[in-house]
Amino acid sequence: MNDFSAADSVPWHVSAFRLEGGASDDVEVVRQLRELRARILFDRGRRPDFRRADGGYHDDQDLDFGAWHFIGRREAGGPPLGYVRLSTPEKGALFQTRAYLGAERYEEVLRECGFGTAETFEHSRLVVEHQARKLGLGVYLNAFAVAAARHLGAKAMIGTSGTADGQDRFHERFGFRAVPGTRRYVDQYTEDVLIMLYRSAFPAGEYAELVERLEDVFPAVTVSARQAGLGRAERAVAERGGPTVTRSRMSALAARGVRQDGGHPCWQPELFDLGREQDRVRVQDLLDAGEVREVLDTIEDQLVELVTSREPRLRSSPREVERAVADQLGGTDPQEYGTWVWYPWSGRLVHLLPREEFRLVRTDRNRGRIDRAQQRRLLGRRVGIVGLSVGSSAALTFAMEGIGGAFKLADFDCLSVSNLNRLRAGVHHLSLNKCVLAARQMLKIDPWLDIEIHPGGLTGDTMEEFFTGGRGAIDLLVEECDTPYVKLAAREHARALRVPVVMDANDRGLLDVERFDLEPDRPLLHGLLGDTTSADLVDLTPAQMTEVILTMVDRERLSPELTASIAEIGRTLSSWPQLASGVALGGALTADAARRILLNLPRPSGRFYTDLELLTAGDRSTVA
């Protein structure tokens, strides 16, 4: 394999090659490399030294020959979107850091850190196209450079780093440390620059796991300079032939704005790229058959949001925004840019940004609370949710906040009229399985979510499949079902697999957290049921079920309203009383706990109450 892409949450393809400098192919590749780097470094005029008087771009460095070059793309054969260079000790006399410090000071810095010139590699020229920034490509390329250096035997890595955009802080997250006394302003880069050094014997900071994985992958991504294929892949609509989805048809349907639920039992949308002939055919067939009830195309507004999310300073300049949008499109017809999403149950066809760009914009307002690196980590997790009545609030909150990119949903029940006091649903959803309902709602928020449903609920026969089967094992369980056997059996499996469990009890804002990932011997439900096992809870009578549930939730701490209701269940009350406000609070509590757990932030085991009646009592007011 000549290209490597990580898990679905990091869809980058990387090729690595070394230039020796003798072949004619190498000369042409170097020319293309230098033009790519210089154009990105020019950065719309920010660094004018990288542009020639004739309007071309230049970044000529003899260091290119003998170095390793890494190219990042969205997909194999696609246009280059990012680049980084790794230079080996054989070219140490040409290192940028040596030129920056001077030969004597360069060797002195290495000696002070315990290294020699023959064991020190240099990484440099990490650049990413504007349209691919803030999506993790820079992290991925940098990780590959560090991994390759370690694979090739480097004891240390050194490099220059800018400071204006926080590049120095970026490298610190990989374990690089600034060399004291090396910071100064450099005219070519129009910013302060400093020297940073990484010790290969140490883990690569917060990206240690990624670097270690890529260290083994590095040999598999190496190609020849000719195979690197740096030419920009252009798609010419006029030359490709094949059917075309007409603008007039799209516009007419968008203007018509028909809104009708087709009542289909399906829950998965179809995703189309109109740059592919088979997708154009499929969309045209849907249009011709009258299956499309509504078209929503706001791609131009989404592109503006994308470029201003990435660079907020552009908001003050409509002209700069327009230019940034043009750069983002890169000559692609706007109608073919991104993804068209078909929701068959509603007949809606929606035009969206590509997945990573869509997620960047959709979670942009999370920043300041969840940074982009954390968001990508969260989207790489798989969450299991059992019980989609109270659990539906958690499912939707997780989807909105971006806590998990993959989900397993389990519930045997279907929506009934009495559920409408607490579930976000309409009368047209009655009799729909609650898993299907939740999955549809989540996929309307993010159509790229990987969702598996278990409409038969969680049983002894499906427990193993739910926890470890399907498309992957879950990383966290949200347990919100009503059946004592399932509650305990799910925890038995979670503890055995070291999967953390969170639960909201929908009374007094009770949040229950069991960190089986950290405490594999922790008693189930904090020991409230003693030595009871799930096998003991099979075939309980209604009275026995009530007794077990009251023990699980700690009857002494129930609210007065729920305590008074228990004796009335089956007499004047049909079931446990629940309110939409409590369900919504539960979604918030479980989401907050899950986010902290999945990001390795403090969230200990225990039971915690967010009792709004107490917290908002008159004597708790913070103003007179």
Side-chain angles (χ1 to χ4, degrees):
M1 182 175 75
N2 291 333
D3 291 287
F4 179 81
S5 64
D8 287 344
S9 58
V10 189
W12 304 113
H13 292 255
V14 172
S15 299
F17 55 94
R18 192 172 189 180
L19 291 172
E20 301 300 340
S24 58
D25 282 348
D26 287 357
V27 174
E28 176 58 19
V29 169
V30 164
R31 184 193 65 76
Q32 294 173 343
L33 276 178
R34 291 171 173 174
E35 183 176 7
L36 171 72
R37 288 189 323 227
R39 180 172 48 77
I40 298 174
L41 286 165
F42 177 69
D43 197 13
R44 301 169 180 164
R46 178 179 163 191
R47 301 184 186 94
D49 285 358
F50 288 94
R51 192 163 196 173
R52 297 193 303 263
D54 62 4
Y57 301 94
H58 68 100
D59 182 32
D60 297 348
Q61 294 186 317
D62 291 339
L63 192 57
D64 289 325
F65 294 105
W68 284 94
H69 304 269
F70 297 81
I71 303 294
R73 296 175 167 86
R74 174 79 71 193
E75 58 190 4
L81 295 175
Y83 166 86
V84 69
R85 179 177 63 196
L86 177 68
S87 302
T88 60
E90 292 81 3
K91 293 292 183 178
L94 299 175
F95 279 6
Q96 289 186 166
T97 44
R98 189 184 189 97
Y100 179 90
L101 293 171
E104 185 176 340
R105 175 61 178 145
Y106 170 76
E107 294 181 11
E108 181 184 353
V109 164
L110 293 183
R111 283 196 304 272
E112 289 173 352
C113 295
F115 301 109
T117 57
E119 54 194 11
T120 302
F121 287 54
E122 181 185 71
H123 84 312
S124 55
R125 288 300 192 259
L126 174 63
V127 293
V128 176
E129 293 273 20
H130 272 274
Q131 65 264 36
R133 292 181 187 177
K134 314 298 185 184
L135 300 177
L137 178 55
V139 168
Y140 206 51
L141 285 168
N142 211 50
F144 246 119
V146 175
R150 289 169 50 145
H151 180 91
L152 295 169
K155 295 293 191 294
M157 290 181 70
I158 198 167
T160 57
S161 174
T163 58
D165 296 327
Q167 191 179 10
D168 52 334
R169 296 191 299 275
F170 170 84
H171 289 303
E172 284 177 355
R173 292 162 62 190
F174 282 87
F176 283 81
R177 293 295 176 263
V179 177
T182 61
R183 180 168 179 157
R184 70 169 185 266
Y185 184 83
V186 176
D187 289 335
Q188 185 183 25
Y189 301 111
T190 67
E191 62 183 298
D192 280 3
V193 171
L194 50 76
I195 301 298
M196 303 193 76
L197 185 136
Y198 165 69
R199 301 169 186 269
S200 300
F202 288 24
E206 64 184 80
Y207 297 110
E209 183 178 347
L210 175 61
V211 168
E212 289 173 8
R213 181 161 57 90
L214 296 183
E215 191 173 345
D216 295 330
V217 168
F218 167 62
V221 306
T222 58
V223 298
S224 68
R226 182 180 57 80
Q227 290 173 317
L230 284 178
R232 185 176 178 86
E234 299 290 348
R235 291 185 303 181
V237 176
E239 296 177 1
R240 72 180 177 212
T244 300
V245 179
T246 62
R247 285 183 186 278
S248 58
R249 187 68 187 279
M250 291 285 201
S251 300
L253 284 163
R256 206 171 84 194
V258 178
R259 298 172 183 270
Q260 176 183 342
D261 193 318
H264 298 279
C266 57
W267 52 274
Q268 292 175 303
E270 292 185 54
L271 308 180
F272 301 114
D273 175 357
L274 295 191
R276 293 199 294 256
E277 181 176 346
Q278 64 269 33
D279 286 6
R280 296 196 305 277
V281 170
R282 172 67 175 143
V283 170
Q284 192 65 56
D285 287 345
L286 289 171
L287 293 168
D288 292 342
E291 294 289 330
V292 178
R293 303 288 189 263
E294 177 187 2
V295 172
L296 183 64
D297 185 358
T298 62
I299 197 66
E300 293 180 1
D301 293 337
Q302 294 175 50
L303 283 162
V304 170
E305 271 201 283
L306 171 62
V307 299
T308 54
S309 295
R310 193 178 271 141
E311 297 184 69
R313 64 177 180 81
L314 296 180
R315 294 178 187 273
S316 61
S317 175
R319 191 172 181 179
E320 285 293 310
V321 169
E322 185 177 347
R323 185 167 69 170
V325 167
D327 288 348
Q328 183 70 33
L329 288 170
T332 302
D333 185 329
Q335 191 184 30
E336 294 189 357
Y337 183 80
T339 301
W340 286 86
V341 184
W342 161 241
Y343 293 100
W345 59 88
S346 65
R348 295 186 178 100
L349 183 63
V350 185
H351 193 183
L352 297 176
L353 295 168
R355 184 182 74 168
E356 298 307 313
E357 285 84 348
F358 172 82
R359 285 177 166 173
L360 183 148
V361 176
R362 199 188 70 75
T363 61
D364 185 61
R365 295 293 292 274
N366 286 357
R367 290 194 303 137
R369 304 296 295 273
I370 304 172
D371 67 35
R372 285 184 171 129
Q374 290 175 322
Q375 196 76 70
R376 288 191 291 270
R377 286 168 59 191
L378 289 171
L379 287 167
R381 300 293 191 154
R382 190 179 302 273
V383 176
I385 303 177
V386 182
L388 273 302
S389 287
V390 174
S392 67
S393 177
L396 294 181
T397 305
F398 281 43
M400 285 188 282
E401 201 162 297
I403 303 171
F407 294 86
K408 294 185 180 183
L409 309 179
D411 198 317
F412 65 87
D413 202 12
C414 293
L415 186 75
S416 63
V417 174
S418 62
N419 295 141
L420 295 176
N421 79 318
R422 63 194 184 279
L423 269 71
R424 201 186 88 177
V427 293
H428 57 299
H429 294 126
L430 291 173
S431 81
L432 192 64
N433 179 270
K434 291 175 182 177
C435 289
V436 173
L437 175 62
R440 286 183 177 183
Q441 292 174 334
M442 295 165 75
L443 289 161
K444 286 193 291 185
I445 295 167
D446 182 344
W448 288 275
L449 291 176
D450 176 5
I451 299 180
E452 300 170 75
I453 66 171
H454 293 254
L458 200 58
T459 67
D461 293 333
T462 62
M463 196 76 68
E464 196 65 37
E465 173 73 11
F466 183 84
F467 273 89
T468 62
R471 292 192 285 273
I474 61 173
D475 299 298
L476 179 137
L477 175 67
V478 180
E479 188 279 298
E480 298 292 357
C481 68
D482 298 329
T483 308
Y485 164 77
V486 176
K487 282 181 163 306
L488 209 57
R491 283 170 171 79
E492 289 170 346
H493 275 75
R495 184 171 64 180
L497 296 168
R498 304 188 70 160
V499 173
V501 180
V502 298
M503 175 186 74
D504 157 61
N506 199 231
D507 183 59
R508 297 187 59 212
L510 188 160
L511 171 68
D512 188 277
V513 180
E514 294 169 280
R515 295 298 305 271
F516 297 128
D517 54 325
L518 304 179
E519 306 165 86
D521 298 320
R522 185 177 183 81
L524 303 180
L525 286 163
H526 318 290
L528 290 171
L529 293 182
D531 295 329
T532 302
T533 68
S534 60
D536 300 323
L537 303 180
V538 177
D539 298 327
L540 298 180
T541 66
Q544 289 172 327
M545 287 183 63
T546 299
E547 185 64 25
V548 171
I549 290 174
L550 289 175
T551 303
M552 287 180 174
V553 298
D554 192 351
R555 73 183 75 209
E556 300 302 321
R557 294 182 180 275
L558 294 179
S559 66
E561 295 85 357
L562 185 56
T563 301
S565 298
I566 293 170
E568 298 301 315
I569 295 174
R571 293 177 65 248
T572 62
L573 296 176
S574 60
S575 187
W576 302 86
Q578 296 175 317
L579 295 176
S581 53
V583 172
L585 176 61
L589 294 173
T590 53
D592 183 84
R595 183 183 73 247
R596 296 175 188 277
I597 290 169
L598 295 176
L599 291 176
N600 297 319
L601 300 174
R603 180 69 282 170
S605 296
R607 283 205 165 164
F608 313 91
Y609 289 85
T610 307
D611 190 331
L612 296 182
E613 184 170 354
L614 294 178
L615 293 175
T616 61
D619 61 354
R620 302 297 293 271
S621 174
T622 60
V623 296

